[in-house]
Amino acid sequence: MSSVGAADIDLGVHSLVHVVKEELEKVYIIPEMFLYFTDSESLNDHGAQSGAKKAKKKHGTETAASLEKLLPKDCNILGIATPGIVVTPGGSASNSPMEFEDGESGFALLFPKISGVKIQHFHLFKDFKSKVFDEKKLEEAGLKNNPDLRVVLIFEYNSWKPGGVRFLNQVLKPLNEKSIIIAGGHVDYLASFPPQEKARFSTDCVGVVGLALSGPQIQGATVLLDQDVCDEKSVDSAMQRLKAANIPEQNSVGLMFACVGRGEQHYKKKNVEADSFRKHFPGVPLFGFFGNGEIGCDRVVSGNFTLRECNGEKDNLLHQYTTVMTIIHFGHAK
Protein backbone atom coordinates (compact mmCIF):
# COMPACT_ATOMS: atom_id res chain seq x y z
CA MET A 1 0.00 0.00 0.00
CA SER A 2 1.34 3.44 -0.83
CA SER A 3 0.43 7.11 -0.77
CA VAL A 4 1.80 9.99 -2.78
CA GLY A 5 0.86 13.56 -1.93
CA ALA A 6 -1.39 14.93 0.80
CA ALA A 7 -4.95 13.67 1.22
CA ASP A 8 -7.82 15.74 -0.20
CA ILE A 9 -9.15 16.32 3.31
CA ASP A 10 -6.60 17.13 6.02
CA LEU A 11 -7.64 15.28 9.18
CA GLY A 12 -4.35 15.85 10.95
CA VAL A 13 -2.84 12.52 9.98
CA HIS A 14 -0.58 11.31 7.17
CA SER A 15 -2.21 10.48 3.83
CA LEU A 16 -1.04 6.88 4.25
CA VAL A 17 -3.74 6.43 6.92
CA HIS A 18 -6.49 7.12 4.37
CA VAL A 19 -4.96 4.70 1.87
CA VAL A 20 -4.56 1.92 4.42
CA LYS A 21 -8.13 2.36 5.63
CA GLU A 22 -9.47 1.96 2.09
CA GLU A 23 -7.11 -0.83 1.01
CA LEU A 24 -7.64 -2.97 4.11
CA GLU A 25 -11.25 -3.42 2.97
CA LYS A 26 -9.85 -5.41 0.04
CA VAL A 27 -7.50 -7.60 2.11
CA TYR A 28 -8.86 -11.03 3.02
CA ILE A 29 -5.76 -12.45 4.70
CA ILE A 30 -4.98 -11.33 8.24
CA PRO A 31 -1.56 -9.63 8.40
CA GLU A 32 0.88 -10.79 11.05
CA MET A 33 3.36 -7.97 10.45
CA PHE A 34 2.68 -4.41 9.31
CA LEU A 35 5.79 -2.44 8.31
CA TYR A 36 5.35 1.16 7.20
CA PHE A 37 7.58 4.09 6.25
CA THR A 38 6.58 7.73 5.93
CA ASP A 39 8.45 10.92 5.14
CA SER A 40 9.54 12.63 8.34
CA GLU A 41 8.94 16.16 7.05
CA SER A 42 5.15 15.86 6.94
CA LEU A 43 4.97 13.43 9.88
CA ASN A 44 6.91 15.43 12.42
CA ASP A 45 6.05 16.35 15.95
CA HIS A 46 9.56 15.62 17.18
CA GLY A 47 11.41 18.63 15.80
CA ALA A 48 11.45 22.21 17.00
CA GLN A 49 8.76 23.78 14.84
CA SER A 50 6.88 26.97 15.55
CA GLY A 51 4.02 29.13 14.37
CA ALA A 52 2.00 28.40 11.24
CA LYS A 53 4.59 25.93 9.99
CA LYS A 54 3.99 23.72 13.01
CA ALA A 55 0.23 23.91 12.50
CA LYS A 56 0.63 22.36 9.05
CA LYS A 57 2.52 19.36 10.38
CA LYS A 58 0.76 16.02 10.61
CA HIS A 59 1.07 14.67 14.12
CA GLY A 60 3.15 11.52 14.19
CA THR A 61 1.52 10.17 17.34
CA GLU A 62 -1.98 10.63 15.91
CA THR A 63 -0.98 8.99 12.66
CA ALA A 64 0.55 6.01 14.49
CA ALA A 65 -2.53 5.64 16.69
CA SER A 66 -4.85 5.81 13.67
CA LEU A 67 -2.93 3.08 11.84
CA GLU A 68 -2.76 0.87 14.92
CA LYS A 69 -6.56 1.09 15.36
CA LEU A 70 -7.06 -0.19 11.81
CA LEU A 71 -5.08 -3.38 12.38
CA PRO A 72 -5.83 -6.57 14.33
CA LYS A 73 -4.66 -6.37 17.95
CA ASP A 74 -2.25 -9.30 17.52
CA CYS A 75 -0.62 -7.79 14.40
CA ASN A 76 2.92 -6.54 15.04
CA ILE A 77 3.41 -3.01 13.76
CA LEU A 78 6.63 -1.15 13.01
CA GLY A 79 6.56 2.39 11.66
CA ILE A 80 9.59 4.43 10.62
CA ALA A 81 10.03 8.03 9.48
CA THR A 82 12.76 8.95 6.98
CA PRO A 83 13.77 12.04 4.93
CA GLY A 84 12.48 10.62 1.62
CA ILE A 85 10.48 7.68 0.31
CA VAL A 86 10.66 5.26 -2.64
CA VAL A 87 7.30 3.73 -3.61
CA THR A 88 5.67 1.67 -6.30
CA PRO A 89 2.19 3.25 -6.51
CA GLY A 90 -0.51 0.84 -5.47
CA GLY A 91 2.14 -1.77 -4.72
CA SER A 92 1.53 -3.12 -8.21
CA ALA A 93 4.41 -4.21 -10.42
CA SER A 94 2.45 -2.78 -13.36
CA ASN A 95 3.30 0.69 -12.02
CA SER A 96 6.75 2.24 -12.21
CA PRO A 97 8.53 2.95 -8.89
CA MET A 98 9.02 6.57 -7.92
CA GLU A 99 11.60 8.37 -5.79
CA PHE A 100 10.19 11.10 -3.55
CA GLU A 101 13.01 13.05 -1.95
CA ASP A 102 10.55 15.52 -0.44
CA GLY A 103 6.81 15.93 -0.08
CA GLU A 104 4.24 13.75 1.63
CA SER A 105 4.57 10.07 0.78
CA GLY A 106 4.65 6.67 2.42
CA PHE A 107 4.12 2.96 2.01
CA ALA A 108 3.16 -0.10 4.03
CA LEU A 109 4.09 -3.75 3.57
CA LEU A 110 1.69 -6.30 5.02
CA PHE A 111 3.11 -9.75 5.73
CA PRO A 112 0.64 -12.60 6.22
CA LYS A 113 1.55 -15.98 7.63
CA ILE A 114 3.69 -17.61 4.92
CA SER A 115 4.28 -21.35 4.90
CA GLY A 116 7.97 -22.10 5.51
CA VAL A 117 8.81 -18.47 6.36
CA LYS A 118 9.24 -16.86 9.78
CA ILE A 119 9.22 -13.08 10.03
CA GLN A 120 10.44 -11.88 13.41
CA HIS A 121 10.48 -8.26 14.52
CA PHE A 122 13.34 -7.10 16.74
CA HIS A 123 14.11 -3.95 18.74
CA LEU A 124 17.45 -3.61 20.52
CA PHE A 125 18.26 -0.69 22.82
CA LYS A 126 21.68 0.66 23.74
CA ASP A 127 22.43 0.28 27.45
CA PHE A 128 24.30 3.45 28.39
CA LYS A 129 25.36 1.85 31.69
CA SER A 130 27.35 -0.89 29.97
CA LYS A 131 30.01 -0.84 27.26
CA VAL A 132 29.54 -4.55 26.60
CA PHE A 133 26.79 -5.69 24.26
CA ASP A 134 24.82 -8.71 25.47
CA GLU A 135 24.70 -11.04 22.45
CA LYS A 136 21.96 -13.07 24.15
CA LYS A 137 19.64 -10.35 22.91
CA LEU A 138 20.53 -11.34 19.33
CA GLU A 139 19.44 -14.91 20.05
CA GLU A 140 16.14 -13.71 21.49
CA ALA A 141 15.60 -11.65 18.34
CA GLY A 142 16.22 -14.61 16.04
CA LEU A 143 19.53 -13.17 14.90
CA LYS A 144 21.83 -15.74 16.50
CA ASN A 145 21.87 -19.57 16.57
CA ASN A 146 19.26 -19.52 13.83
CA PRO A 147 20.39 -21.76 10.94
CA ASP A 148 17.39 -20.75 8.82
CA LEU A 149 18.14 -17.00 8.98
CA ARG A 150 18.42 -15.61 5.43
CA VAL A 151 17.71 -11.87 5.49
CA VAL A 152 18.02 -9.10 8.09
CA LEU A 153 16.42 -5.72 7.42
CA ILE A 154 17.94 -3.36 9.97
CA PHE A 155 17.40 0.30 10.81
CA GLU A 156 19.07 2.47 13.45
CA TYR A 157 17.54 5.60 14.96
CA ASN A 158 19.34 8.36 16.91
CA SER A 159 22.63 7.15 15.46
CA TRP A 160 24.02 10.69 15.85
CA LYS A 161 23.93 10.39 19.65
CA PRO A 162 27.14 9.43 21.53
CA GLY A 163 27.83 5.73 21.14
CA GLY A 164 25.27 5.30 18.38
CA VAL A 165 27.61 4.04 15.66
CA ARG A 166 29.51 1.86 18.12
CA PHE A 167 26.26 0.22 19.21
CA LEU A 168 25.29 -0.48 15.60
CA ASN A 169 28.69 -2.07 14.98
CA GLN A 170 28.23 -4.25 18.05
CA VAL A 171 24.98 -5.55 16.57
CA LEU A 172 26.31 -5.94 13.04
CA LYS A 173 29.63 -7.63 13.81
CA PRO A 174 28.20 -11.06 14.77
CA LEU A 175 25.66 -10.81 11.94
CA ASN A 176 28.39 -10.10 9.39
CA GLU A 177 30.04 -13.40 10.25
CA LYS A 178 27.00 -15.18 8.80
CA SER A 179 26.16 -15.73 5.15
CA ILE A 180 22.96 -13.71 5.17
CA ILE A 181 21.56 -10.68 3.39
CA ILE A 182 21.88 -7.53 5.51
CA ALA A 183 20.27 -4.31 4.29
CA GLY A 184 18.92 -1.09 5.78
CA GLY A 185 20.04 2.32 6.93
CA HIS A 186 19.86 5.17 9.43
CA VAL A 187 16.37 6.61 9.92
CA ASP A 188 15.02 9.76 11.55
CA TYR A 189 12.83 8.19 14.21
CA LEU A 190 10.35 5.46 15.09
CA ALA A 191 6.68 6.26 14.52
CA SER A 192 5.18 2.95 15.72
CA PHE A 193 6.37 -0.16 17.51
CA PRO A 194 4.74 -3.01 19.49
CA PRO A 195 2.98 -1.83 22.68
CA GLN A 196 5.02 -4.12 24.94
CA GLU A 197 8.12 -2.05 24.10
CA LYS A 198 6.66 1.34 24.98
CA ALA A 199 7.62 1.08 28.64
CA ARG A 200 11.31 0.85 27.67
CA PHE A 201 11.26 3.37 24.82
CA SER A 202 11.93 7.09 24.91
CA THR A 203 12.83 9.60 22.21
CA ASP A 204 16.33 9.78 23.74
CA CYS A 205 17.02 6.07 23.15
CA VAL A 206 19.63 4.80 20.72
CA GLY A 207 18.27 1.68 19.14
CA VAL A 208 18.13 -0.74 16.26
CA VAL A 209 14.90 -2.17 14.85
CA GLY A 210 14.14 -4.45 11.97
CA LEU A 211 12.93 -7.79 10.67
CA ALA A 212 14.66 -11.17 10.70
CA LEU A 213 13.46 -13.30 7.77
CA SER A 214 14.03 -17.03 8.20
CA GLY A 215 13.26 -20.06 6.08
CA PRO A 216 15.14 -22.22 3.58
CA GLN A 217 12.94 -21.05 0.70
CA ILE A 218 13.94 -17.39 1.12
CA GLN A 219 16.45 -16.09 -1.41
CA GLY A 220 17.98 -12.65 -1.68
CA ALA A 221 20.68 -10.46 -3.15
CA THR A 222 22.07 -6.98 -2.55
CA VAL A 223 24.33 -4.67 -4.51
CA LEU A 224 26.02 -1.51 -3.33
CA LEU A 225 26.00 1.55 -5.57
CA ASP A 226 28.96 3.55 -4.29
CA GLN A 227 30.02 7.14 -5.00
CA ASP A 228 31.55 6.15 -8.34
CA VAL A 229 28.12 5.12 -9.63
CA CYS A 230 27.14 8.54 -10.91
CA ASP A 231 25.36 8.14 -14.26
CA GLU A 232 22.71 5.97 -15.90
CA LYS A 233 25.27 3.66 -17.48
CA SER A 234 27.01 2.82 -14.20
CA VAL A 235 23.65 2.38 -12.44
CA ASP A 236 22.66 -0.03 -15.20
CA SER A 237 25.83 -2.03 -14.61
CA ALA A 238 25.02 -2.33 -10.90
CA MET A 239 21.50 -3.56 -11.70
CA GLN A 240 22.97 -6.12 -14.05
CA ARG A 241 24.99 -7.47 -11.11
CA LEU A 242 21.79 -7.76 -9.11
CA LYS A 243 20.03 -9.43 -12.04
CA ALA A 244 22.91 -11.92 -12.38
CA ALA A 245 22.06 -13.30 -8.93
CA ASN A 246 19.10 -15.04 -10.63
CA ILE A 247 16.71 -14.46 -7.75
CA PRO A 248 13.17 -15.48 -8.82
CA GLU A 249 11.02 -12.42 -9.49
CA GLN A 250 7.64 -13.93 -8.69
CA ASN A 251 6.57 -13.39 -5.07
CA SER A 252 9.52 -11.04 -4.54
CA VAL A 253 9.98 -7.44 -3.40
CA GLY A 254 12.70 -4.90 -4.14
CA LEU A 255 14.08 -2.57 -1.46
CA MET A 256 16.15 0.56 -2.04
CA PHE A 257 18.00 2.33 0.76
CA ALA A 258 19.69 5.48 -0.54
CA CYS A 259 21.62 8.42 0.85
CA VAL A 260 19.84 11.80 0.88
CA GLY A 261 22.83 13.06 -1.11
CA ARG A 262 21.97 10.88 -4.10
CA GLY A 263 18.79 11.06 -6.15
CA GLU A 264 18.25 14.02 -8.44
CA GLN A 265 21.07 16.20 -7.10
CA HIS A 266 23.56 13.34 -7.65
CA TYR A 267 22.46 12.34 -11.15
CA LYS A 268 21.04 15.72 -12.31
CA LYS A 269 17.97 13.73 -13.28
CA LYS A 270 15.02 12.29 -11.39
CA ASN A 271 14.32 8.63 -10.63
CA VAL A 272 17.50 7.19 -12.17
CA GLU A 273 18.02 4.28 -9.78
CA ALA A 274 14.35 3.33 -9.47
CA ASP A 275 13.94 3.42 -13.26
CA SER A 276 16.96 1.16 -13.72
CA PHE A 277 15.55 -1.35 -11.21
CA ARG A 278 12.25 -1.31 -13.11
CA LYS A 279 14.09 -1.94 -16.39
CA HIS A 280 15.77 -5.08 -15.07
CA PHE A 281 12.99 -6.26 -12.73
CA PRO A 282 9.73 -5.23 -14.43
CA GLY A 283 7.67 -7.67 -12.36
CA VAL A 284 8.99 -6.68 -8.91
CA PRO A 285 7.58 -3.73 -6.91
CA LEU A 286 10.22 -1.47 -5.35
CA PHE A 287 10.02 0.32 -2.00
CA GLY A 288 12.53 2.08 0.22
CA PHE A 289 13.76 5.39 1.54
CA PHE A 290 16.37 8.14 1.48
CA GLY A 291 18.30 8.32 4.75
CA ASN A 292 21.49 9.49 6.42
CA GLY A 293 23.63 6.38 6.13
CA GLU A 294 23.25 2.98 4.49
CA ILE A 295 23.76 -0.61 5.65
CA GLY A 296 24.60 -3.39 3.19
CA CYS A 297 27.04 -4.79 0.63
CA ASP A 298 27.25 -6.97 -2.49
CA ARG A 299 25.94 -10.36 -1.42
CA VAL A 300 23.85 -13.26 -2.76
CA VAL A 301 22.02 -15.91 -0.71
CA SER A 302 20.20 -18.47 -2.85
CA GLY A 303 19.53 -22.01 -1.65
CA ASN A 304 22.87 -23.61 -0.80
CA PHE A 305 24.76 -20.99 -2.82
CA THR A 306 26.24 -17.95 -1.12
CA LEU A 307 28.42 -15.22 -2.60
CA ARG A 308 30.20 -12.96 -0.11
CA GLU A 309 33.56 -11.70 1.22
CA CYS A 310 35.94 -10.31 -1.34
CA ASN A 311 39.60 -11.23 -0.89
CA GLY A 312 38.83 -13.10 2.31
CA GLU A 313 37.93 -9.90 4.15
CA LYS A 314 34.70 -9.17 5.95
CA ASP A 315 32.31 -7.02 3.95
CA ASN A 316 32.08 -3.42 5.05
CA LEU A 317 28.42 -2.83 5.91
CA LEU A 318 28.31 0.86 6.89
CA HIS A 319 28.33 3.47 4.13
CA GLN A 320 27.60 7.05 3.24
CA TYR A 321 26.63 8.59 -0.09
CA THR A 322 25.65 5.17 -1.47
CA THR A 323 22.56 3.15 -2.34
CA VAL A 324 21.88 -0.41 -1.21
CA MET A 325 19.58 -2.18 -3.68
CA THR A 326 18.00 -5.44 -2.54
CA ILE A 327 15.68 -8.12 -3.89
CA ILE A 328 14.03 -10.66 -1.58
CA HIS A 329 12.15 -13.77 -2.72
CA PHE A 330 9.75 -15.41 -0.27
CA GLY A 331 9.37 -18.70 -2.08
CA HIS A 332 6.88 -19.77 -4.71
CA ALA A 333 3.26 -19.08 -3.83
CA LYS A 334 1.21 -22.19 -3.15
Side-chain angles (χ1 to χ4, degrees), residues 114-330:
I114 304 172
S115 178
V117 173
K118 183 177 182 180
I119 300 175
Q120 188 170 350
H121 154 265
F122 62 86
H123 192 175
L124 306 173
F125 298 91
K126 175 177 171 54
D127 183 357
F128 286 98
K129 297 179 181 180
S130 174
K131 293 184 179 181
V132 180
F133 177 66
D134 184 3
E135 292 194 9
K136 289 182 181 179
K137 295 178 181 178
L138 295 179
E139 188 168 355
E140 295 171 359
L143 302 173
K144 187 177 181 181
N145 295 331
N146 179 4
D148 289 330
L149 183 63
R150 296 292 183 272
V151 176
V152 175
L153 302 179
I154 187 166
F155 314 103
E156 186 181 36
Y157 58 90
N158 286 343
S159 58
W160 54 272
K161 288 180 176 289
V165 174
R166 183 174 184 272
F167 175 68
L168 179 58
N169 275 310
Q170 287 175 320
V171 175
L172 288 175
K173 183 179 178 181
L175 291 180
N176 201 18
E177 295 172 354
K178 304 176 183 297
S179 295
I180 58 175
I181 297 296
I182 303 172
H186 300 274
V187 301
D188 282 351
Y189 62 87
L190 293 188
S192 292
F193 45 90
Q196 62 269 26
E197 297 172 2
K198 291 185 178 179
R200 296 186 297 151
F201 176 79
S202 75
T203 55
D204 293 327
C205 287
V206 171
V208 170
V209 298
L211 300 180
L213 310 180
S214 304
Q217 68 196 48
I218 295 177
Q219 300 178 48
T222 53
V223 293
L224 179 72
L225 284 65
D226 60 21
Q227 297 183 35
D228 294 333
V229 178
C230 56
D231 56 29
E232 292 177 82
K233 184 177 179 180
S234 53
V235 171
D236 218 43
S237 295
M239 295 305 161
Q240 287 172 0
R241 297 204 315 273
L242 191 62
K243 185 76 172 181
N246 290 321
I247 303 299
E249 295 183 29
Q250 185 181 12
N251 208 25
S252 296
V253 64
L255 297 171
M256 171 180 164
F257 306 119
C259 176
V260 291
R262 294 182 73 86
E264 185 178 5
Q265 70 175 17
H266 180 65
Y267 294 106
K268 311 305 179 186
K269 184 178 179 180
K270 290 184 177 180
N271 232 62
V272 172
E273 293 177 349
D275 284 346
S276 183
F277 182 90
R278 165 78 170 179
K279 174 184 173 182
H280 292 279
F281 300 93
V284 181
L286 179 69
F287 301 93
F289 62 76
F290 288 89
N292 291 294
E294 304 76 58
I295 303 171
C297 62
D298 278 34
R299 190 173 292 183
V300 178
V301 174
S302 178
N304 295 323
F305 172 76
T306 301
L307 177 64
R308 61 159 295 166
E309 294 187 4
C310 298
N311 301 322
E313 297 180 1
K314 291 287 188 297
D315 302 311
N316 180 24
L317 292 174
L318 299 182
H319 310 278
Q320 293 181 326
Y321 211 67
T322 63
T323 296
V324 175
M325 198 70 76
T326 307
I327 181 171
I328 302 170
H329 174 66
F330 291 90

Side-chain angles (χ1 to χ4, degrees), residues 23-38:
E23 292 299 318
L24 277 178
E25 299 286 338
K26 308 171 188 176
V27 175
Y28 299 98
I29 299 176
I30 297 175
E32 291 197 337
M33 181 72 216
F34 184 88
L35 173 66
Y36 75 89
F37 290 80
T38 64

Side-chain angles (χ1 to χ4, degrees), residues 67-109:
L67 286 169
E68 290 164 9
K69 288 178 182 178
L70 294 173
L71 296 164
K73 289 185 178 180
D74 57 351
C75 177
N76 285 315
I77 182 169
L78 177 60
I80 295 174
T82 63
I85 296 292
V86 179
V87 301
T88 298
S92 171
S94 61
N95 295 325
S96 297
M98 305 171 70
E99 301 174 13
F100 290 93
E101 297 176 65
D102 51 43
E104 188 165 335
S105 57
F107 70 88
L109 300 178

